[in-house]
Amino acid sequence: MLQIKNLTKIYDGGVKALDNVSFEVPDGQFLAVIGLSGSGKSTLLRCINRLIEPTEGQIIWNGEDITAASQDEMRRIRRKIGMVFQHFNLVHRSKVITNVLAGRLGYVNPAWSLLNRFPKEDIEKALQQLKRVGIAEKAYQRADELSGGQQQRVGIARALMQDPKMVLADEPVASLDPVLAHSIMTHLEDINKNDGVSVLCSLHFLDLVHRYADRVVALNEGKLVFEGLPKDIDDKKFKEIYGRDAERVG
Amino acid sequence: MKNNKKASPWNSIKVGLFSLLAMVIFAYGFQITKVNLEELRSENRQESLVRVTRALAKPEIFEYEQVEEIVNFPIYVPCPTDGSQAPVPEHNATEPYIVLTPSCVNPGEIIEVEGFNFAPFTVGPLRFIPGSDVTNVVSLGRENAETDADGHFLVSMKIPDRTSDDVQYIRATLRRNVGSPHFTQTARDTWNKIVETVFLALLATVFGTVLAIPLSFIAARNLMKTVKSPLTSISLSVLGWPIGILIGFIAVRWVGNLSASIGSNAWVNLASILLSPILAWIGLRWALPQEEINRPSQTVRLERLGVILLVVLVSFYGLFQLASLAMSAGKNLEASLGSFSFLGYFLFQVGDIVAIITPALGALAAGGTLSSFLGRLGQQGSERLPVSGIKILNLILTTVAGATVLGLVGQLVEWLYQIGEPMYTLWGPMAVGAGLGLLLAILSKPKESLPIGMVIYSITRTFLNALRSVEALVMAIVFVIAVGIGPFAGVMALGLHTIVSLAKLYSEQVESILAGPLEAIEATGANRLQTIIYAVIPQIVPPYISYTMYRWDINVRMSTIIGFVGGGGIGFLLQQNINLLNYRAASAQMLAIAIVVATMDYISSALREKVI
Ligand SMILES: Nc1ncnc2c1ncn2[C@@H]1O[C@H](COP(=O)(O)OP(=O)(O)OP(=O)(O)O)[C@@H](O)[C@H]1O
Ligand SMILES: [Mg+2]
């Protein structure tokens, strides 16, 4: 179970990106995070694995206080949290398989990384993950030779390599066309349903939310303005989340 | 345009004043730099310009074996009053001879010299030899004689103002080339020096690049910004460096002595060299398991630490043995390889270098290791211990660390300037350092993470910028004083300049990498080293290669002139020949420089196209 308690993030410039946000995510849930651009979705997700240092509040995961973890502990915590990004964030000049293997970096001994060596089992596992997301034949191509949808699959394979207990997905389909979006979301759903991994996924389209999410939290200017089931987002709630002038399209 | 300027008299006046100021500055510049076209037009200048240009156009590269035909012909200057004639030398019809008309003249008059039977198409000077000695080497005046197909020439010559009652001579020296051309001594010297030049550039570039890469990471803001540590950890790692260096130095020296006492028997050397990496590898495989899900127990970790220490000692032993083998093999090869003896020399030098840098390497490695180990200890301590305990610990550690650092700086000053007063170079700085440390410990919150990364970044940047502003030539002068005239000084100077300028360029590249992959790798739980290897390095390889090649071009150019200040390479020869007014030789060297620079330029641009 992930508990977010009174989380606040104020950036150096003084922008309050998260304002006293609290909610809980039971294990195995698919949680959608919605909100306008700039409402703090990315900030929230990055606070959870402390890519961004929260200013105040606590994040407690299975009883362990992430916000108080030391660097060493953070390494162990992060390796159990996979992350998928809007712009895929692959290392372009590296091979696909290297990008996938990077998911093991939290586990392997750093001394062996100096020699760019991974255990044999990891390499086999990486190929398996690539097969799982359907691009086994691309393993030895350079990452930037792949199309966007393929790159996002590599991103998912990388997260899977971590044997994650939780996946943070920051707008994983915002750079993809609708068909690809569904195929990527299906992979996330598969991880969620079959491996029992919690997924926290920020999304822009409500139809995706309805189709894939178990629960929704909505942010507006850093504040939590909605928490509930996707079907509970009625017109009134919608206007609260997205502003009075917004029109429903999805 | 955001703010459209309104036309106003004040603006026009400003423009006027500005142009006036510009004019004054420009005019002053003219005077300072002594721009003077008059000088360019003066006859003296023009003459020497022509002479030098002509010499430069004929680089001294090839020469022929030459044969000379010398004919002397007696002449009276002025004509004797008694009407006697100079004795006409005997000659037969096949030998070369000359005829003068008239046979005697007064000083300053013109005489016609006609030559017969010389070799066809030869050239040479026609000179007046004063005094009565035919073999006199002193000569006056000079006309150029050039024979036609029949070996005949006709030249009129002005007799100089040298009167004598004795007979004097006109000498024709006609030269011609025989055989095929061969290289001059100049050409051979130039070749040797140009090879030296290229290798000077190569060594400087290689050393510079190798050392600039780690520096560039420290000088990159985006990597260092996130490096933060609590004070306990910082002061412990500061203390770790000197202690570690000392321990490392002693330990490696001990290994060195051990290796030396075993002797330089080639078979023992060879066996050690083969065995030690294998042992080290086995040890490492055991002590550093590739993947570990659970934390090992304390005893296991201690055992591993011990094994790693052993592995390190064994590796250094292997290095010493390698050096020893290389040196003895090099010496033998140098004696037996004949014209490939430079390979032996190289092997010997490599061995020597390894033997010299191994202790330094060990010291640095031990310093770094102990520093990072103590730093982690400090980190864990400040996470676990209570605030008051940390505060007291900080007070003590920071005071000691401050005192150590400034004390060491003081000792460096002492060593440099030999002041000889420990008050100023040891106790004083230590007291100041202790005070500063104490102040820092009092002012900072005990568990707060301090931006130590940015401090290191700023110091490195300042240091790089300061050194970068010193020209490589100036550095060369310093190194010539330090290590003597020769290419070694040049390598040091160029290498140092390469390090600082490449580190700056590289670090800018590191700063401009995409943040996304970095973030993604960090999110997997990778530590800092792994993040650099997997997210930073793949992104910076192409710009690093292209900057290295760019630097290589610069180094080739620089190495051609670094000899001007004694730094070795072809510049030394060039400068010497210019000073000796030996322009034809200088021309050969300039030509060589041009060819080398152009070739290297071409090669590097071709490579660049291929790699990137
Ligand atoms: N590094 C930063 N420094 C300062 N302010 C930032 C930084 N990153 C984000 N912000 C600000 O914090 C607020 C929340 O940003 P965030 O990226 O979390 O929004 P978001 O919901 O992910 O938006 P989007 O849908 O466009 O990705 C914004 O106002 C943004 O300008
Ligand atoms: Mg975002």
Side-chain angles (χ1 to χ4, degrees), chain B residues 297-507:
Chain B
S297 71
Q298 200 70 33
T299 35
V300 171
R301 283 164 69 190
L302 272 180
E303 277 168 20
R304 284 183 184 167
L305 198 68
V307 170
I308 290 176
L309 272 178
L310 268 180
V311 162
V312 171
L313 290 183
V314 167
S315 319
F316 277 112
Y317 170 75
L319 268 181
F320 277 117
Q321 290 285 308
L322 184 69
S324 164
L325 182 70
M327 279 163 82
S328 51
K331 219 183 271 170
N332 289 336
L333 285 179
E334 201 176 355
S336 62
L337 271 185
S339 64
F340 284 99
S341 69
F342 69 91
L343 286 176
Y345 177 77
F346 173 71
L347 209 57
F348 181 82
Q349 293 299 331
V350 167
D352 206 19
I353 291 172
V354 171
I356 287 174
I357 64 170
T358 302
L361 217 62
L364 281 181
T369 313
L370 191 65
S371 163
S372 78
F373 176 72
L374 288 182
R376 281 173 72 121
L377 214 63
Q379 180 93 38
Q380 284 170 5
S382 73
E383 275 155 13
R384 300 215 179 112
L385 295 179
V387 173
S388 55
I390 289 294
K391 187 85 186 175
I392 294 170
L393 202 61
N394 277 354
L395 287 177
I396 299 169
L397 287 175
T398 322
T399 309
V400 177
T404 313
V405 170
L406 282 203
L408 284 174
V409 171
Q411 286 299 290
L412 180 70
V413 172
E414 165 67 30
W415 180 81
L416 280 176
Y417 298 102
Q418 298 188 302
I419 295 167
E421 281 203 54
M423 192 52 228
Y424 292 130
T425 57
L426 186 61
W427 306 120
M430 277 180 78
V432 173
L436 286 178
L438 203 60
L439 205 65
L440 191 64
I442 291 173
L443 289 183
S444 64
K445 284 187 220 129
K447 293 199 172 187
E448 191 184 20
S449 283
L450 301 178
I452 183 66
M454 284 314 281
V455 174
I456 297 174
Y457 160 84
S458 312
I459 294 175
T460 316
R461 269 292 164 106
T462 315
F463 179 72
L464 288 183
N465 284 339
L467 268 184
R468 216 162 47 95
S469 58
V470 179
E471 259 306 314
L473 272 184
V474 179
M475 286 185 184
I477 295 174
V478 175
F479 278 112
V480 163
I481 296 166
V483 302
I485 288 183
F488 186 47
V491 170
M492 299 283 279
L494 270 189
L496 183 60
H497 201 256
T498 307
I499 293 174
V500 291
S501 52
L502 274 188
K504 178 86 193 312
L505 291 174
Y506 285 170
S507 64

Side-chain angles (χ1 to χ4, degrees), chain A residues 27-28 35 43 46 51 57 61 63 73 88 90 96 98 104 125 146 159 168 190 205 235:
Chain A
D27 282 344
T43 308
R46 280 171 175 70
L51 287 178
W61 189 34
E73 286 162 353
F88 326 132
L90 301 185
V96 166
T98 315
R104 288 309 283 181
K125 188 169 172 177
L146 269 53
L168 308 172
D190 171 40
F205 291 106
D235 281 354

Side-chain angles (χ1 to χ4, degrees), chain B residues 502 505-506 509 542-552:
Chain B
L502 274 188
L505 291 174
Y506 285 170
Q509 287 309 309
Y544 269 40
I545 290 177
S546 82
Y547 275 128
T548 308
M549 288 186 179
Y550 162 72
R551 187 65 212 182
W552 159 249

Side-chain angles (χ1 to χ4, degrees), chain A residues 46 70 104 109 112 122, chain B residues 288 290-291 383 519 525 534:
Chain A
R46 280 171 175 70
S70 72
R104 288 309 283 181
N109 197 317
W112 292 104
D122 283 357
Chain B
L288 297 173
Q290 285 198 317
E291 239 179 71
E383 275 155 13
E519 189 181 33
Y534 286 94

Side-chain angles (χ1 to χ4, degrees), chain A residues 2 4 23 25 29-31 33 41-52 59 61 66 74 77-78 80-86 152 155-156 158-160 162 164-172 188 191 197-202, chain B residues 523-524:
Chain A
L2 178 75
I4 313 278
F23 63 92
V25 190
Q29 190 166 66
F30 197 121
L31 177 83
V33 182
K41 303 183 294 294
S42 301
T43 308
L44 172 65
L45 293 178
R46 280 171 175 70
C47 278
I48 292 172
N49 62 0
R50 283 206 16 219
L51 287 178
I52 291 176
I59 299 164
W61 189 34
I66 293 182
M74 214 44 236
I77 294 171
R78 274 184 186 158
K80 285 289 173 194
I81 306 178
M83 193 154 189
V84 181
F85 302 83
Q86 174 180 358
Q152 193 58 296
I156 289 174
R158 175 171 66 191
L160 282 174
Q162 294 177 236
K165 291 249 160 28
M166 172 161 66
V167 167
L168 308 172
D170 188 10
E171 293 177 31
L188 287 177
I191 297 166
V197 174
S198 318
V199 176
L200 275 71
C201 179
S202 67
Chain B
T524 64

Side-chain angles (χ1 to χ4, degrees), chain A residues 46 49 51 70-72 74-76 78-79 81 83 85 88-94 98 102-120 122 158 162, chain B residues 228-229 281 284-285 287-295 376 379-380 383-384 514-517 519-531 533-535 538-539 541-542 611:
Chain A
R46 280 171 175 70
N49 62 0
L51 287 178
S70 72
Q71 275 177 21
D72 279 353
M74 214 44 236
R75 185 172 188 236
R76 275 189 308 102
R78 274 184 186 158
R79 70 187 188 191
I81 306 178
M83 193 154 189
F85 302 83
F88 326 132
N89 289 0
L90 301 185
V91 180
H92 284 180
R93 295 178 51 84
S94 296
T98 315
R104 288 309 283 181
L105 286 175
Y107 293 89
V108 298
N109 197 317
W112 292 104
S113 299
L114 267 180
L115 304 175
N116 199 2
R117 279 178 68 99
F118 285 92
K120 253 198 223 75
D122 283 357
R158 175 171 66 191
Q162 294 177 236
Chain B
K228 288 183 180 164
S229 289
W281 180 251
L284 279 184
R285 286 303 299 230
L288 297 173
Q290 285 198 317
E291 239 179 71
E292 225 167 16
I293 306 300
N294 299 314
R295 251 168 177 247
R376 281 173 72 121
Q379 180 93 38
Q380 284 170 5
E383 275 155 13
R384 300 215 179 112
L514 295 175
E519 189 181 33
I521 298 291
E522 223 175 302
T524 64
N527 72 3
R528 191 167 301 279
L529 178 75
Q530 293 172 317
T531 312
I533 294 173
Y534 286 94
Q539 294 196 56
V541 165
V611 177

